[in-house]
Amino acid sequence: MATDTSKAFVRHTVSESLPPPVNEKGIIGWMRKNLFSSISNAVLTLIGLYFIYTVVTTIYGFAIRDAVWTGADRNACLSEKVGHEVGACWTYINEYFGQFIYGRYPDAERWRVNIVFLLGGLGLLPLLMPSMPGKKWNVLFLLAVFPVISFVLLLGGYF
């Protein structure tokens, strides 16, 4: 049986491209494709959003809304003194910030810790840049020289 090709249409010019439908592009298209592509993905997305909402509101309530920001001592953070449930005690954090960062390192020698931290950061910075020349020497510094400098600085030169 022969087919009739006399009624077939063949385009001789390329048609212009049309933009994709609104629901297929941008943030809405991405969300439909990745977050709501099936019932199970939609349920998991909603559970994840509820979890994020719960965590963020709890942290906000503890760290900011119910926190005590001013005071002279620990008594400023007691709920009996404030009159409501207390969250974070930023007065305590402010008072002991140096001990959180340096531990029991002597106050007069904290410059040593700062120099070690600065040298470590400056040594890592070139390694984070993809096209930085001389990475071999930088790695050599971080693996061989920096530990010796840190050892000497943090022990105060006493072995």
Side-chain angles (χ1 to χ4, degrees), residues 4-15:
D4 185 16
T5 59
S6 62
K7 295 181 183 174
F9 173 75
V10 177
R11 185 181 298 267
H12 296 289
T13 60
V14 178
S15 64

Side-chain angles (χ1 to χ4, degrees), residues 113-131:
V113 178
N114 294 338
I115 288 178
V116 168
F117 181 76
L118 184 67
L119 281 176
L122 290 176
L124 283 175
L125 193 62
L127 292 179
L128 298 174
M129 298 177 194
S131 61

Side-chain angles (χ1 to χ4, degrees), residues 132-154:
M132 189 69 149
K135 285 193 177 193
K136 177 175 60 173
W137 296 107
N138 196 309
V139 170
L140 184 66
F141 166 75
L142 283 175
L143 292 177
V145 178
F146 178 68
V148 173
I149 292 173
S150 299
F151 184 78
V152 170
L153 276 173
L154 293 176

